[in-house]
Amino acid sequence: MAKREAQHNGQKTQIRKITKKAKLAVEGSFTEVLLRDVRKILANASLQEVETEELDEEESRVSVYSPPERFEEIEVRISELSSTGDGLGLSENSDHVYVVPFTVPGDIVQAKVVNYFASDHYTLTDFVKVLKPSPQRDDTRVKCPYFSKCSGCQFQMLSYEDQLSHKKTIIESAYKNFSNLPSELVPEIGATIGSPLQYGYRTKLTPHFDGPPGRHGRGPRKNGTERKGFTEVPPIGFMLKGMRRTIDIEDCPIGTDAVRLGMARERARVAKEISTYKRGATILLRESTTRKPKNLNESPQMPLMETATKVDNVDGNINGIDETSKTDLSGKDLVRPNSESVAITATSCDHDEDKSCITDSNATATEYIDSFVFHNTAGSFFQNNNSILPRFTAYIRDHILPPIAPSEKPIKYLIDAYCGSGLFTVTLSSLFSASSGIDISPASIASAHQNAKANSIANATFIAADASALFAEVTYPSGETVVVIDPPRKGCDDNFLHQLLRFGPRRVVYVSCNVHTQARDIGVLVEGVDGCRYSLESLRGFDFFPQTSHVESVAILNRVVAIEKDIMRHVIPGEVRGGGASEAVIQ
């Protein structure tokens, strides 16, 4: 259903059709996830067409898809929502899919063609406007003037109930597409646990600005002349959806109040000092909290190290800071820290909290989760939605141990792989006789030691080591040990997974910010190797980032014990290879 206008910047254009082939995708990447959804909608359309042809062959039609020109504006009816957060709509002949951001099923929208991937049967478009809204869409819910332009949020027009429902669907699709497991081995996925705050929740933002014209390259020019600086204030904000261009954003409503005040202050400061910058930079905005008990006989819980009151950081990624340099991971400078402080006071029945915005990536930020206190280097990774952390850590605490079985030894030991600054080790250690946290970053391990001390944790040790080699020195008995895994978005590598299977802990808790790579890795654990494999007990999503398509997932696994040694290692639907040995799940 293409209503063609073929315009670009107001001018009629004659542009050669784009027939790009999508880049080779890696499992769990944006492109791979999108392709799986595109193939599914095309397959469903094909089945429906076959059924129609069987009913009335005379009305069946055979036609060749003619793609629209690049920058042409077309009308699209959205039928599904992808796991990437984009709307999907079929072409008139149901043989091609249009990918339209900021849309929901039932919308009829006008979209502009950007890229056409002929071999994969889909076209990326830019959202232009809604022609007829879906019943699910309510634009009065939108609280950001940059929505439908900024790449940060996708779902502000949806009810929160619909957002949570879709995030459950994302987890379901991930396990269908990436785990290679038969459906009977994947338990029913629990309802997504929502965030207490749907706006004003993000404790870290990293807006940035690009360099001046002619900025490419570093150092002096070949002719010895210095690079020119800024002649005007550039856009300071986040990336334009679908483009490598920064748009100016004065305020971000998903940030906490302290972070939003810090953003306004830092924008003004950078504008005043812009002539001193020679290239682009990032601004770290990180909330830090000081808690003051209302009982005046108690002393306030203060950071272990002196806490800076400002912070600059950001390239738009959750982890955008290279702690060993003065640039972020995109090569931009870090904005110079500001010495001023912006504080907001929050109060509860038993304490007051002063919240400030830090802009120095090497300063210390402090957060509280229930009665636990955490001190972290401001530029390092820590979960960015404090409001959901009590629910999140309580859920893991309630599910990390199996039901008591009189015939089995109790689980007494915890290994926290990818431990960071000790979130799980600190919040779970009271359940165990001993616990160990391992992380590749010495700075994170230093913070973990400090956090254990701050929370009076005496049974925890921390080791700076690559997680791929962490089991080499483990002395805990595997049958009495649970391992918590919380890897980066790329998931676990094969070396780590095979080490884990060789160690064979009684129970595994896999926490992930990328449910697609989590599904892939859990498929390996369930299939098993060398006489050890796992069963998947439960799956549940947590909404750390409302208004976006991101969902955190927690999977609980139990080690399966083979009654006979020749038990099969590979599971396929309806078949057990290697004989008919029976198995039991250790709980």
Side-chain angles (χ1 to χ4, degrees):
M1 47 175 61
K3 181 181 178 182
R4 303 187 173 185
E5 296 179 6
Q7 292 187 354
H8 180 51
N9 294 330
Q11 302 295 321
K12 297 284 183 180
T13 58
Q14 293 294 327
I15 300 176
R16 181 172 53 86
K17 290 183 176 64
I18 302 298
T19 58
K20 290 185 179 181
K21 184 175 182 179
K23 292 180 180 179
L24 182 64
V26 177
E27 287 188 20
S29 70
F30 175 91
T31 301
E32 179 73 4
V33 172
L34 179 61
L35 275 173
R36 297 297 181 102
D37 289 340
V38 166
R39 290 167 184 164
K40 184 189 75 171
I41 191 174
L42 287 172
N44 290 340
S46 178
L47 288 174
Q48 292 173 4
E49 185 173 337
V50 168
E51 292 175 357
T52 301
E53 291 174 357
E54 289 176 349
L55 290 174
D56 190 349
E57 292 185 3
E58 293 183 359
E59 294 185 5
S60 64
R61 52 189 170 82
V62 178
S63 58
V64 178
Y65 176 68
S66 177
E69 300 283 351
R70 195 181 187 191
F71 305 126
E72 184 173 348
E73 292 191 355
I74 59 175
E75 184 178 299
V76 182
R77 180 187 297 273
I78 305 301
S79 57
E80 291 189 19
L81 196 57
S82 169
S83 293
T84 63
D86 300 303
L88 304 178
L90 283 165
S91 63
E92 289 181 346
N93 299 331
S94 300
D95 58 359
H96 191 83
V97 175
Y98 295 108
V99 182
V100 190
F102 311 112
T103 58
V104 300
D107 278 343
I108 299 176
V109 300
Q110 191 166 322
K112 181 183 291 186
V113 171
V114 177
N115 280 333
Y116 168 51
F117 298 94
S119 62
D120 292 309
H121 303 281
Y122 76 92
T123 293
L124 296 179
T125 72
D126 284 339
F127 171 82
V128 177
K129 64 181 178 180
V130 176
L131 300 176
K132 183 178 179 181
S134 161
Q136 284 185 279
R137 173 184 285 272
D138 183 352
D139 288 331
T140 64
R141 298 187 181 108
V142 176
K143 294 188 177 181
C144 179
Y146 309 101
F147 182 70
S148 78
K149 298 180 181 66
C150 173
S151 60
C153 295
Q154 296 83 44
F155 295 156
Q156 289 191 24
M157 78 297 260
L158 283 175
S159 71
Y160 195 49
E161 292 75 16
D162 285 343
Q163 292 185 39
L164 295 179
S165 177
H166 179 63
K167 293 185 181 189
K168 178 182 175 182
T169 302
I170 291 175
I171 299 175
E172 292 171 344
S173 297
Y175 277 80
K176 289 177 182 177
N177 293 334
F178 294 98
S179 71
N180 291 320
L181 295 175
S183 59
E184 59 266 25
L185 294 184
V186 180
E188 182 178 353
I189 297 166
T192 306
I193 295 178
S195 171
L197 298 176
Q198 290 91 57
Y199 285 92
Y201 63 82
R202 190 160 179 136
T203 55
K204 178 183 176 182
L205 288 174
T206 50
H208 65 276
F209 57 92
D210 300 323
R215 66 188 182 279
H216 300 293
R218 299 186 181 185
R221 297 179 183 273
K222 291 182 180 180
N223 59 10
T225 60
E226 292 188 3
R227 295 183 179 277
K228 293 182 179 180
F230 291 93
T231 57
E232 60 183 7
V233 179
I236 303 171
F238 304 108
M239 300 302 291
L240 182 67
K241 175 67 175 177
M243 299 185 68
R244 298 183 61 84
R245 194 174 83 219
T246 303
I247 58 173
D248 194 63
I249 293 180
E250 295 183 359
D251 185 29
C252 180
I254 65 173
T256 65
D257 288 343
V259 165
R260 294 171 74 180
L261 285 173
M263 185 172 179
R265 177 198 69 216
E266 292 305 299
R267 282 175 53 86
R269 184 172 68 84
V270 169
K272 183 177 180 181
E273 300 174 359
I274 195 64
S275 63
T276 66
Y277 290 91
K278 300 300 182 183
R279 60 179 183 177
T282 60
I283 305 171
L284 174 63
L285 304 170
R286 180 71 176 267
E287 182 177 278
S288 184
T289 302
T290 299
R291 181 172 287 183
K292 299 177 294 184
K294 289 188 175 179
N295 183 347
L296 299 181
N297 293 325
E298 298 181 30
S299 60
Q301 291 177 289
M302 299 298 289
L304 294 177
M305 298 180 291
E306 183 179 353
T307 302
T309 54
K310 306 263 168 137
V311 154
D312 295 301
N313 166 331
V314 142
D315 65 346
N317 295 323
I318 291 178
N319 296 314
I321 296 301
D322 177 356
E323 296 179 40
T324 63
S325 73
K326 294 183 179 180
T327 65
D328 70 3
L329 299 183
S330 67
K332 295 185 176 72
D333 289 323
L334 295 180
V335 172
R336 294 179 286 277
N338 189 356
S339 59
E340 299 177 5
S341 117
V342 172
I344 291 175
T345 299
T347 186
S348 71
C349 59
D350 56 354
H351 59 259
D352 292 325
E353 291 182 342
D354 288 336
K355 297 181 179 293
S356 59
C357 181
I358 295 177
T359 57
D360 180 357
S361 62
N362 295 314
T364 300
T366 300
E367 289 201 41
Y368 293 85
I369 304 172
D370 293 325
S371 61
F372 296 103
V373 59
F374 290 88
H375 310 293
N376 308 280
T377 303
S380 65
F381 173 78
F382 196 79
Q383 294 288 0
N384 292 336
N385 181 349
N386 182 271
S387 75
I388 198 174
L389 284 175
R391 294 181 180 181
F392 178 64
T393 55
Y395 177 88
I396 295 175
R397 184 181 179 88
D398 290 343
H399 292 81
I400 195 167
L401 295 176
I404 297 175
S407 61
E408 298 292 343
K409 292 182 178 180
I411 292 179
K412 298 191 295 185
Y413 305 101
L414 167 69
I415 296 175
D416 182 6
Y418 310 94
C419 72
S421 59
L423 173 63
F424 297 120
T425 313
V426 168
T427 57
L428 299 171
S429 61
S430 64
L431 299 175
F432 302 96
S433 299
S435 55
S436 295
I438 300 97
D439 198 275
I440 194 172
S441 167
S444 294
I445 291 299
S447 294
H449 278 293
Q450 293 166 342
N451 290 331
K453 183 178 179 181
N455 291 282
S456 301
I457 305 298
N459 65 339
T461 58
F462 297 94
I463 304 169
D466 189 339
S468 64
L470 72 89
F471 294 105
E473 300 180 8
V474 170
T475 59
Y476 300 154
S478 61
E480 300 173 45
T481 301
V482 59
V483 174
V484 174
I485 307 170
D486 187 11
R489 291 189 61 80
K490 65 180 181 180
C492 304
D493 60 27
D494 288 340
N495 184 27
F496 173 84
L497 292 173
H498 283 84
Q499 282 194 69
L500 178 65
L501 285 164
R502 283 193 293 271
F503 176 63
R506 171 99 155 271
R507 201 162 164 90
V508 174
V509 178
Y510 192 139
V511 178
S512 178
C513 60
N514 185 342
V515 66
H516 313 287
T517 53
Q518 182 196 54
R520 177 201 65 200
D521 294 346
I522 284 179
V524 174
L525 296 178
V526 172
E527 180 178 334
V529 70
D530 296 336
C532 177
R533 72 179 187 87
Y534 286 82
S535 66
L536 188 51
E537 176 182 297
S538 65
L539 275 169
R540 194 145 198 189
F542 287 80
D543 188 19
F544 273 75
F545 298 101
Q547 317 309 329
T548 79
S549 60
H550 299 291
V551 60
E552 197 97 357
S553 176
V554 177
I556 311 290
L557 300 99
N558 291 300
R559 190 180 70 195
V560 174
V561 175
I563 305 304
E564 299 178 14
K565 291 185 179 180
D566 63 343
I567 186 69
M568 70 84 172
R569 291 297 119 218
H570 185 75
V571 180
I572 57 177
E575 181 180 337
V576 176
R577 296 181 181 176
S582 59
E583 298 173 326
V585 176
I586 289 187
Q587 291 188 333

